[in-house]
Amino acid sequence: MPPIRHTGTRTRSRRLTAAIAAALAVTAGSMAAAPAATATTVTPAPAATATAATAGAAATGETTQFEVTGHNITDVLDLDANGGVFPFTFTTNQKGARVSIEIYQAGSGYPEWRGSAVDRTTGDGPGSVTVEWDGNREDLVGGAHEWRGPTRNGPIEWTAHITPAGGGPSESVDLKGTSTITRKPQPHDFTDNGSPELFVMNEQGNVEVRESQYTPRTDLLGLYDMWYAPYVGWGVYDRLAVPGDLGGGNRPEIIARDKSGDLWLYSRAEGNDYDPKLNPRVRIGTNWGVYDKIVGGSDITADGKPDLIATDKSGGLWLYPGTGNLNAPLGDRKNIGTSWGVYNQIVATGNLAGAPAGDLFARDAAGVLWLYLGNGDGTFAPRIRIGAGWNEYTRIVSIGDLNRDGHPDLITYTNGDVDIPDLPYAGNGYVYWGTGDWRAPFKPRVADLIPGKDAKYVF
């Protein structure tokens, strides 16, 4: 395929050829919209072609024509790759270029993100300029960049304005196009943006949703308020869990047990991912009052369906396998352990340690944390001691992969404040980034400000 060149020139009266004009519009002192750019990677122009153009311009005394010869923006942008960062790269026929780019949710007409970059490389031959996007949205009001959460999966529109690094408005190339953002489903992602949500229930029984945002450049985690109304009237429940996608619809569900022992399921309603409503609850079980702990988030049977784990008051450990059928989401229970009454907290993390199936962490009364690696058949390997001192934490919570590295992470809460390096405020807990290695499943803990310290339930 011959290279496609998008050009700009200082000579306003210069006419573009019909082939080039069909590819884009060149501005003449102002930005003009161009036809949608091809979504396939365009091969950069050979260096000899750019050099010949420069030599011809020098011989005649004309200004060198600036050309954009390609870009890497494809039909589908996989934001699971490269840690969620996409590098928008534009190749040019000369070194030294500046780019500004805007991302729009398709049909919205309002930019969700705006970025710019400049490459000041000098010399002969072709060049390129790259601006990186971490998949997050920004509220671009009055020039201020305020966090608004990750961009949702689905179609987007983009526009790009490229000029020579030292050029002015009359030397510009404008491109636009469409792409589709995709990420694989996450077990705690209710808003289809690749990032898990944290649910916090206050003493009044209202459940607030906190959306997570990981910023790769700073290695920081944020858990922020969503701007829609909370789920109200949940004070009737005394156990809550998010096991993942029990119904096979690529959306997670919430499991809730009321004080009479009935088990209820809440599924995501279709509609606006920026305001995730729930369908009316459905009763899926009775007599669940025999259990003191109910947790979900791991595929213990390694069949691609999340399972539910419960411990009874005599220390028995029970497995409820997921079926993938929303009308009957749990199979018959199976006893898979005894003497689990020694643990005061159990956390289903998913496949944290690289074993064949989902794993569990359990903390005993002495504060020792133990890892149970799933065998993939509904049982666990002998427990592994992770470390002591975990009774420092009032809660240990797992909501999935927070930093997009493919490994589930842990959130912990402390009674008192903790210092956060280089920030003017104190934190109230720590984040443990997962490593995927069962021999050392966590990186050193990182202090953070985590919502829900005084909440009735966090899940």
Side-chain angles (χ1 to χ4, degrees):
M1 174 180 177
I4 297 175
R5 296 190 184 125
H6 309 287
T7 65
T9 175
R10 295 184 190 274
T11 307
R12 299 194 180 186
S13 62
R14 186 183 188 97
R15 289 179 176 267
L16 297 176
T17 64
I20 296 175
L24 73 139
V26 179
T27 59
S30 61
M31 183 179 294
T38 179
T40 57
T41 301
V42 181
T43 305
T49 302
T51 302
T54 303
T60 61
E62 295 181 2
T63 303
T64 302
Q65 189 178 42
F66 177 69
E67 299 177 350
V68 175
T69 56
H71 60 74
N72 68 335
I73 308 175
T74 56
D75 288 337
V76 176
L77 304 185
D78 181 5
L79 291 189
D80 282 328
N82 197 33
V85 175
F86 185 82
F88 293 101
T89 299
F90 298 85
T91 56
T92 58
N93 69 324
Q94 55 187 258
K95 296 185 185 302
R98 184 188 306 271
V99 61
S100 61
I101 187 168
E102 291 184 344
I103 301 295
Y104 301 77
Q105 202 76 19
S108 70
Y110 183 81
E112 294 203 339
W113 177 82
R114 182 180 298 146
S116 61
V118 59
D119 175 67
R120 300 189 184 277
T121 305
T122 60
D124 296 330
S128 66
V129 58
T130 297
V131 57
E132 291 187 338
W133 178 43
D134 60 11
N136 292 321
R137 304 166 61 226
E138 291 172 336
D139 191 8
L140 308 175
V141 178
H145 289 226
E146 299 179 1
W147 177 86
R148 299 292 285 177
T151 295
R152 270 52 178 173
N153 292 331
I156 62 166
E157 300 166 356
W158 58 268
T159 64
H161 184 69
I162 309 102
T163 65
S170 61
E171 278 189 297
S172 63
V173 174
D174 296 303
L175 303 176
K176 65 179 180 180
T178 60
S179 293
T180 298
I181 293 175
T182 182
R183 307 176 183 92
K184 65 182 179 182
Q186 296 289 341
H188 230 278
D189 176 16
F190 278 73
T191 55
D192 196 28
N193 63 7
S195 296
E197 279 75 52
L198 181 72
F199 294 86
V200 178
M201 188 170 84
N202 60 25
E203 290 295 332
Q204 291 72 44
N206 298 330
V207 175
E208 298 176 350
V209 183
R210 303 299 182 102
E211 189 164 27
S212 66
Q213 178 196 18
Y214 175 72
T215 305
R217 295 185 186 89
T218 59
D219 197 30
L220 291 177
L221 171 69
L223 289 159
Y224 299 95
D225 286 319
M226 299 292 283
W227 51 92
Y228 51 80
Y231 308 137
V232 299
W234 287 51
V236 298
Y237 302 123
D238 60 8
R239 295 293 184 274
L240 293 156
V242 180
D245 176 21
L246 286 173
N250 288 332
R251 294 291 182 91
E253 283 83 40
I254 298 175
I255 296 292
R257 186 190 71 183
D258 65 27
K259 296 172 184 177
S260 65
D262 290 342
L263 194 69
W264 301 87
L265 179 143
Y266 287 89
S267 60
R268 254 299 311 270
E270 294 296 328
N272 186 3
D273 285 321
Y274 292 98
D275 187 7
K277 304 295 186 182
L278 299 175
N279 290 314
R281 67 179 188 172
V282 177
R283 184 163 52 193
I284 60 171
T286 58
N287 300 320
W288 280 69
V290 299
Y291 300 121
D292 60 351
K293 301 177 187 67
I294 301 172
V295 299
S298 288
D299 177 14
I300 307 300
T301 55
D303 62 355
K305 306 178 185 70
D307 307 309
L308 210 60
I309 294 289
T311 59
D312 62 31
K313 296 171 184 178
S314 64
L317 184 70
W318 298 87
L319 166 67
Y320 284 82
T323 66
N325 180 359
L326 191 61
N327 296 319
L330 299 174
D332 294 336
R333 71 174 188 171
K334 177 182 179 182
N335 182 255
I336 58 172
T338 58
S339 302
W340 281 68
V342 300
Y343 300 121
N344 56 29
Q345 185 160 4
I346 297 172
V347 182
T349 60
N351 188 354
L352 186 143
D359 309 314
L360 293 182
F361 281 98
R363 182 183 65 184
D364 64 27
V368 177
L369 189 71
W370 301 88
L371 168 62
Y372 285 83
L373 294 175
N375 290 323
D377 59 358
T379 65
F380 297 99
R383 68 181 188 175
I384 300 168
R385 189 178 190 271
I386 298 302
W390 283 73
N391 51 1
E392 170 187 359
Y393 303 126
T394 58
R395 284 191 178 99
I396 305 171
V397 180
S398 177
I399 63 172
D401 179 13
L402 292 163
N403 63 350
R404 309 177 192 171
D405 65 353
H407 309 304
D409 309 301
L410 285 184
I411 295 171
T412 63
Y413 293 82
T414 58
N415 270 319
D417 293 338
V418 296
D419 291 332
I420 302 178
D422 302 322
L423 290 179
Y425 50 81
N428 63 347
Y430 295 92
V431 177
Y432 285 82
W433 302 120
T435 66
D437 184 351
W438 64 268
R439 293 161 295 190
F442 302 115
K443 298 177 183 178
R445 66 183 186 179
V446 178
D448 211 324
L449 181 62
I450 305 169
K453 176 181 178 180
D454 299 320
K456 189 173 182 180
Y457 291 105
V458 179
F459 60 102

